[in-house]
Amino acid sequence: MKEYQSILMDRYDNSDLDKLDKMLLADMCVIPSENGFEEEMLDWLNEHPNASLQEVARFEGSFLTSLEIVDDDELDEEDRNPAVYED
């Protein structure tokens, strides 16, 4: 387990978490390393030792791009079928 994940689990993994928070914690253990901002999260956790789980989640969310939902009719053919147009 990486240092970032250890800190998260030590601080927030307890029996008082509801199912949604347990899922959030599990995702927060994986997402930063998969998206290349684990060091920033580790620094932030060390600077904010009393942050709530929701505060950590909000900080993590600042690294993620917003999901844009569009109607398929607004997409051109390449955007609808990207596998067909890959180089």
Side-chain angles (χ1 to χ4, degrees):
M1 187 177 297
K2 296 181 179 182
E3 183 180 3
Y4 165 74
Q5 294 167 332
S6 287
I7 291 172
L8 272 179
M9 297 307 284
D10 289 345
R11 286 189 194 171
Y12 304 107
D13 187 27
N14 60 56
S15 59
D16 295 337
L17 292 178
D18 62 22
K19 186 175 181 178
L20 187 60
D21 283 342
K22 286 181 182 183
M23 290 172 40
L24 177 64
L25 181 59
D27 286 344
M28 287 193 309
C29 284
V30 176
I31 291 172
S33 59
E34 287 181 350
N35 291 282
F37 59 91
E38 188 171 353
E39 285 300 316
E40 291 87 343
M41 291 296 296
L42 178 60
D43 291 343
W44 192 88
L45 282 173
N46 288 328
E47 293 170 7
H48 300 87
N50 298 318
S52 69
L53 183 63
Q54 285 69 30
E55 289 171 322
V56 178
R58 277 193 295 274
F59 183 72
E60 179 187 70
S62 71
F63 290 92
L64 304 173
T65 57
S66 298
L67 178 65
E68 181 182 2
I69 299 173
V70 296
D71 188 325
D72 285 349
D73 294 336
E74 296 174 11
L75 300 174
D76 61 24
E77 183 63 27
E78 186 174 342
D79 289 334
R80 273 192 224 133
N81 300 300
V84 174
Y85 295 94
E86 287 180 351
D87 293 331

